[in-house]
């Protein structure tokens, strides 16, 4: 059946009114139905929760969906409940906050430590030879699209006398919102996300450099260590600046605690 049905999947709702709903998407939940995931998605949960009060602009498979998070990325999302709200929110995301209050921020746990503790990654992204992966492309490539990420190292783990670290937590602010942007950009500068199966698999053996319990925590971590902790936007009806933050989920808290343990 091409039209998704409502399913009683629990939602962690931060705010809701007649125009929109703000929620925390858990890791492992696909946003909308697609190949291999026709049921059990956020859209199915939203249809059950909201009934008919979801924007239809995204089509029957993506009602109300203004922006997305990867299946294994957790964090704050906003969903439109009518077409006017959807258009207004979509315009904000398309503008990337250049002319309004829209802002998106993430926490990521990465391998190593960027040489510059604060920086800007300006590297166009495009398809990487298959349907799902992305890669940094030359600006003159046919499918290259502007992609800019601002990052800042907020904590370092097992730092050495030469200033390098085995791992770090970074805060990333998006100036654009491309598919897999943070994951590809951090890998591009040599610091892929811990647990990232697509862009960080070559770094898995680095876990052997960690003492216990960090080594075990990294080896069992089942996803990319990425959480969309902050979302800010202009309310489409009132014009009010809406700001939402949510702490990193338990699995990332456990990972960070293990990385801290035994560190000098």
């Amino acid at each position: 059946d091409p039209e998704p049905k409502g399913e009683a999947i629990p939602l962690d709702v931060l705010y809701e009114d007649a125009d929109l709903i703000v929620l925390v998407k858990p890791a492992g939940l696909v946003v909308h139905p697609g190949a291999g995931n026709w049921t059990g998605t956020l859209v199915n949960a939203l249809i059950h929760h909201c009934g008919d009060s979801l924007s239809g602009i995204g089509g029957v498979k993506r009602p109300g969906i203004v922006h997305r998070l990867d299946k294994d990325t957790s964090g704050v999302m906003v969903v439109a409940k009518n077409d006017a709200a959807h258009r207004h929110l979509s315009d904000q995301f398309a503008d990337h906050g250049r002319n309004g209050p829209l802002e998106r921020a993430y926490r990521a746990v990465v391998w190593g430590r960027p040489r510059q503790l604060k920086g800007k990654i300006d590297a166009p992204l495009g398809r990487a030879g298959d349907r799902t992966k992305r890669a940094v492309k030359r600006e003159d490539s046919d499918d290259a699209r502007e992609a800019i990420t601002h990052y800042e190292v907020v904590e370092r783990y097992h730092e050495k006398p030469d200033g390098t670290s085995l791992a770090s937590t970074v805060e990333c602010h998006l100036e654009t919102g491309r598919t897999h942007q943070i994951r590809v950009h951090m890998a591009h500068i040599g610091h892929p996300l811990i647990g990232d199966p697509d862009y960080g698999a070559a770094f898995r053996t680095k876990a052997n450099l960690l003492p216990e319990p960090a080594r075990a925590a990294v080896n069992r971590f089942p996803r990319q260590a990425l959480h969309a902790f902050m979302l800010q936007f202009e309310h489409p009806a009132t014009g009010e600046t809406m700001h939402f933050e949510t702490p990193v989920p338990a699995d990332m808290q456990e990972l960070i605690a293990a990385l801290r343990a035994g560190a000098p």
Side-chain angles (χ1 to χ4, degrees):
D1 189 342
E3 187 167 342
K5 300 290 190 290
E7 297 177 40
I9 300 168
L11 290 175
D12 183 0
V13 177
L14 299 179
Y15 175 85
E16 183 174 9
D17 62 21
D19 298 292
L20 53 86
I21 180 171
V22 179
L23 53 89
V24 181
K25 186 190 87 66
L29 184 65
V30 176
V31 170
H32 57 73
N37 295 286
W38 295 111
T39 61
T41 72
L42 178 62
V43 163
N44 297 107
L46 287 165
I47 291 171
H48 180 271
H49 178 84
C50 300
D52 295 330
S53 61
L54 281 174
S55 156
I57 288 180
V60 293
K61 293 180 185 175
R62 304 183 186 185
I65 300 301
V66 177
H67 65 120
R68 292 181 296 170
L69 294 174
D70 295 338
K71 173 185 176 182
D72 288 325
T73 298
S74 54
V76 188
M77 289 185 64
V78 60
V79 176
K81 293 177 71 174
N82 56 64
D83 290 356
H86 197 138
R87 280 189 288 268
H88 194 290
L89 290 166
S90 292
D91 287 346
Q92 292 184 62
F93 277 89
D95 184 60
H96 305 304
R98 292 187 175 98
N99 298 296
L102 181 83
E103 190 173 355
R104 286 171 289 172
Y106 294 69
R107 285 284 167 92
V109 185
V110 304
W111 287 111
R113 193 213 85 178
R115 186 170 300 165
Q116 292 182 302
L117 296 180
K118 189 174 183 178
K120 172 183 173 181
I121 306 169
D122 186 348
L125 299 181
R127 292 192 182 277
D130 68 14
R131 193 176 60 84
T132 57
K133 287 189 182 179
R134 297 296 186 269
V136 170
K137 294 292 190 79
R138 288 172 32 167
E139 288 186 18
D140 58 358
S141 297
D142 289 342
D143 66 337
R145 302 182 71 190
E146 180 187 36
I148 299 171
T149 302
H150 299 268
Y151 74 87
E152 182 174 3
V153 176
V154 295
E155 190 170 3
R156 293 164 270 180
Y157 312 109
H158 301 277
E159 192 167 21
K160 300 176 182 177
D162 63 2
T164 62
S165 303
L166 292 181
S168 308
T169 290
V170 295
E171 184 171 309
C172 296
H173 289 251
L174 295 183
E175 192 172 319
T176 58
R178 307 302 178 203
T179 299
H180 298 178
Q181 179 173 314
I182 291 172
R183 298 166 63 189
V184 178
H185 271 175
M186 294 310 298
H188 177 64
I189 65 170
H191 302 285
L193 275 58
I194 285 178
D196 193 327
D198 296 321
Y199 307 105
F203 280 66
R204 285 199 68 85
T205 56
K206 286 189 176 292
N208 296 328
L209 300 174
L210 294 166
E212 295 294 357
R215 183 188 312 162
V218 167
N219 284 332
R220 68 172 175 263
F221 197 74
R223 64 180 182 102
Q224 63 265 8
L226 184 62
H227 176 69
F229 79 91
M230 188 271 281
L231 177 63
Q232 179 177 285
F233 57 89
E234 180 183 285
H235 193 286
T238 67
E240 178 187 356
T241 296
M242 311 289 287
H243 183 97
F244 299 93
E245 293 192 21
T246 181
V248 297
D251 62 346
M252 280 183 65
Q253 290 181 26
E254 292 169 6
L255 175 65
I256 290 169
L259 287 167
R260 287 174 181 155

